[in-house]
Amino acid sequence: METRLASWIRDTADGHAAEQILRACVHCGFCLATCPTYQLLGDELDGPRGRIYQIKQVLEGTDPGRQTQIHLDRCLTCRNCETTCPSGVAYGHLVEIGRVAVAQRVRRPLVERLLRWTLKEGLTRPTLFAAVLGLFRSVAPLLPGRWRAKLGVARPAGAWPSTARARTVLLPRGCTQPAMLPSIDAATARVLDAIGVQVIVAEGARCCGAIRQHLEDHAGALSQFRRNIDAWWPYIEARQIEAIISNASGCGATIREYAYALRDDPSYAAKAQRIVELTRDLVEFLGPELTAGSCGQERSAAPTTALQPPPGQIAEPPPRRIAFHPPCTLQHGLRIRGEVEKLLTSLGAQLVPVAEAHLCCGSAGTYSLLQPALAQALRERKLAQLLHEQPQMLLSANIGCIAHLQGGTGIPVRHWIEWVDAELAARRHVPPD
């Protein structure tokens, strides 16, 4: 695509990136077939090709209006279009550049500005978020439906392993997951402990930066990237860890972007690249070991007590008939497809077929709060496909998707590592023949 960028962006890092991305696009329209918002609205301007054209106009000097901002806001940043694109257009990077450029020229209504500020400042502070979440859960019946559905249901986390191991990994705690669903991190620690790997949580690390980045606060996002690198770097420098393990695909996809985001920062570029090299999604790290049989009934003598139920109780096996929802950040951001399903199947799960597995559920971070009508429509469509074969449980790989889907169904929605944790616990307590 021929491009002539305006002087205010032409010689900047974003300008160079945008020009390269725009020139790669051949306007073929293949992306429209897999864009969730285009599927719902049928408007070219609410599909990747139309948004690319609008961004191009802005970057070439055309003054955007409020309607352009609305069309860019409606994008889920699911990156399904990137998976579909035959030309390899990095749409995710381009839409972030475009949103910031439009935000600098179009002032949002006051209510939108207040909501975005509240989300940006409230969700990224774990202590504050935990306090507010507890308060909101106590008055849940009084809240609007879309907010109430986001609160989730508190579940006990269970024991955290205390045994030191020779192998160690870092676990980013994220911003909302420890308060909303602490059972995910605890299950991760127990399952890793069962294969002889200790989980370390670095003090000082906070939100991965995705929320600020997607709410057009790029300076705040970069600051968060640097803060996390500073918190993790001593462990890396001392060679104390073998990997950084993310059990939230949204966080993992963002951390994998640190090197790109900080590529021109002389103090952090090399460190960010090393962070990216060490970062693994949980299934990338755990899958090969579990599918190889390194943790199961045949390894019941493994030196851990973390999976044992309280005295007098029997560990119940989890449901077998499962529907798995792969988050967009897992399949389109991290490009990991089929690995969780392979792991679950190897441990005895009976996965039901799910149509339109490539489409977004509508969560998309803060999207379900900023675009509730579209998010609800996408959730209804997703749940119709997930529940079509009548599974006993839904599994996913990202806190946002889990909370969003659970708000629309009575069927339990869990992280896949919680299912694995329950399955291994049950195997360890099968009575001998």
Side-chain angles (χ1 to χ4, degrees), residues 93-228:
H93 291 159
L94 181 65
V95 77
E96 297 296 346
I97 294 170
R99 282 171 169 162
V100 172
V102 172
Q104 292 170 346
R105 290 158 179 78
V106 179
R107 187 170 175 80
R108 293 184 179 277
L110 177 61
V111 173
E112 278 192 23
R113 297 201 306 273
L114 289 175
L115 176 56
R116 284 171 169 262
W117 182 88
T118 300
L119 294 173
K120 180 178 66 175
E121 300 301 330
L123 296 180
T124 59
R125 290 176 164 80
T127 302
L128 174 61
F129 175 77
V132 173
L133 176 66
L135 175 63
F136 279 10
R137 278 177 170 171
S138 69
V139 296
L142 304 178
L143 299 176
R146 73 176 186 271
W147 290 86
R148 187 168 61 249
K150 273 289 186 180
L151 298 179
V153 178
R155 297 197 301 274
W160 188 285
S162 58
T163 305
R165 303 294 185 196
R167 300 173 64 191
T168 57
V169 296
L170 268 176
L171 178 69
R173 294 301 297 272
C175 45
T176 63
Q177 185 166 288
M180 285 190 72
L181 293 173
S183 52
I184 296 175
D185 285 347
T188 300
R190 286 192 293 268
V191 174
L192 287 173
D193 178 73
I195 61 170
V197 178
Q198 182 180 357
V199 169
I200 296 175
V201 178
E203 295 295 331
R206 290 171 62 177
C207 174
C208 67
I211 289 175
R212 291 186 180 275
Q213 185 174 44
H214 295 323
L215 291 176
E216 297 153 8
D217 180 11
H218 278 208
L222 291 175
S223 177
Q224 194 64 68
F225 298 167
R226 296 185 185 103
R227 175 173 180 154
N228 288 341

Side-chain angles (χ1 to χ4, degrees), residues 9 11 30 54 79 96 100 104 127 228 232 280 300 305 320:
I9 195 171
D11 296 322
F30 285 6
Q54 292 172 88
R79 298 171 68 176
E96 297 296 346
V100 172
Q104 292 170 346
T127 302
N228 288 341
W232 298 333
R280 298 286 183 274
S300 60
T305 60
R320 283 286 180 268

Side-chain angles (χ1 to χ4, degrees), residues 24 89 126 198 208 262 336 342 388 423:
V89 174
Q198 182 180 357
C208 67
L262 295 168
I336 297 173
K342 184 192 303 180
H388 185 263
E423 170 63 19

